[in-house]
Amino acid sequence: MSFNYRRVIIKIGSNVITGPNGLPDTERIAHLVDQIAAIKKHGTEVILVSSGAVASGRSLINVTDKYDAVATRQLLASIGQVKLINTYSNLFEKFKILCSQVLVTKEDFRDRLHYLNMRNCLEILLQHQVIPVINENDVVSVTELMFTDNDELAGLIASMLNAQALIVLTNVNGIYDGDPKLPGSAVIEEVKGDGIDFSSFVSTSRSQFGRGGMITKSTIAQKTAQLGIAVHIANGTTDNILLDVLDNNVIHTRFVPTKKASGKKKWIAHSETAATGVVQVNEGAKTVLISSKASSLLPVGIIKVLSDFKKGEIIKIVDENNKVIGLGLAEYGADKAREFTGKKNQRALVHYDYLYLQG
Ligand SMILES: Nc1ncnc2c1ncn2[C@@H]1O[C@H](COP(=O)(O)OP(=O)(O)O)[C@@H](O)[C@H]1O
Ligand SMILES: N[C@@H](CCC(=O)OP(=O)(O)O)C(=O)O
């Protein structure tokens, strides 16, 4: 093994651990666990984000159509998560590796203190050579409280833990430049830089049991790479895939990491749903903010405070067309920001260290 990542997040999609009948494919899970054990033996810390609770639940109970989709998902996930974690636990035990269950909701990432508590928990697990197996807590996460999918969750975990790489395993070989089912489509092997619009070649179609589809994978991958973390999207149904990805021995999509970001910036980058306020900036401020020069958001460039916020809360920064260009931590509340709007020589509303700009 030639790779030199110190810490990797491995995300396994439902379709990887599910056979064509929708039921868990234990042989495939075992093959992935064998590889994870080898990666760990090599000295790399591994954090697993695994989908599959609902699929596992489906193998245990029959639910008739008369129940609504949300309740059915809760029922299946509640039963299935037990089976999923037991499967991992039994398989890791063969290598004398302990794994742990960590179930999270989007709410766990909103508040900085709560976020740090979660990070501490994962760090102590890693310090004790445990492999955390993370999944969304589907039993309590419903509708607007849900992550788009576990790809979003995996991106958050990768940023939170300062991982060097995130490997997303799905049921296709990577991101194709067209419909993966068409013979003329090819895997895009390297993605560099910001602002790529994937919607022109990635369709919104999802695999049979997946949730977010390739569009969320592309968006999350790009965002994560912009925070300095390499992202690999590869086919988890292929033999030896994890070791081959790490050894750069298989065709897949790799997002090249760009700039490094501080821990706080990483948290802010993933906090859009937690944002309370919105401020609109003029073209001049936008140009300065997105330039390579480090700049804070000054009141002189603000056109309007569009919604209220308090000091210390996350705010969205939008341009004149209301497009979100960044997120930041407010140094003061909306009232003061309104008072300073358009004025020169006032204190920055968002300091550069607490400003995340989208590519
Ligand atoms: N351009 C594309 N390249 C690769 N996959 C694509 C593309 N457009 C759509 N897809 C679909 O995205 C699916 C993978 O996403 P998803 O269903 O969320 O999987 P997972 O369960 O692994 O999270 C693929 O099976 C494929 O059908
Ligand atoms: N938390 C759900 C999976 C949700 C999800 O994002 O699925 P996927 O798109 O296959 O990664 C479960 O364990 O069934």
Side-chain angles (χ1 to χ4, degrees), residues 176-188:
Y176 285 74
D177 56 8
D179 184 339
K181 289 191 199 81
L182 295 176
S185 304
V187 172
I188 302 167

Side-chain angles (χ1 to χ4, degrees), residues 10 27 53 55-56 60 98 107 109 124 127 130 137 151 162 172 214 245 251 268-269 275-276 281 320 325:
I10 297 171
E27 223 173 281
S56 297
L60 298 168
L98 281 174
E107 286 296 294
F109 292 84
I124 196 159
Q127 279 160 23
V130 176
N137 190 345
D151 300 317
N162 286 323
V172 284
M214 198 49 84
V245 162
I251 289 184
I268 293 168
T276 45
V281 299
E320 291 180 20
I325 58 163

Side-chain angles (χ1 to χ4, degrees), residues 155-216:
L156 281 163
I157 298 287
S159 312
M160 171 189 260
L161 292 177
N162 286 323
Q164 276 80 52
L166 164 64
I167 304 175
V168 178
L169 294 183
T170 181
N171 64 343
V172 284
N173 292 344
I175 303 180
Y176 285 74
D177 56 8
D179 184 339
K181 289 191 199 81
L182 295 176
S185 304
V187 172
I188 302 167
E189 294 194 43
E190 194 175 82
V191 182
K192 259 189 189 153
D194 314 334
I196 297 157
D197 180 11
F198 290 95
S199 60
S200 54
F201 46 88
V202 177
S203 73
T204 48
S205 75
R206 266 167 284 162
S207 49
Q208 202 184 353
F209 305 105
R211 195 151 97 195
M214 198 49 84
I215 279 281
T216 31

Side-chain angles (χ1 to χ4, degrees), residues 7 22 27 40 76 88-89 118 144 155 194 199 240 251 267 288 293 298 302 319 328 334 339-340 345 351:
R7 180 176 281 185
E27 223 173 281
K40 188 158 169 29
L76 294 176
Y88 278 119
S89 179
M118 188 162 43
E144 71 275 8
D194 314 334
S199 60
N240 218 39
I251 289 184
W267 170 66
V288 172
K293 207 172 128 250
L298 299 171
I302 298 174
D319 66 11
E339 189 188 318
F340 291 166
N345 303 325
H351 186 274

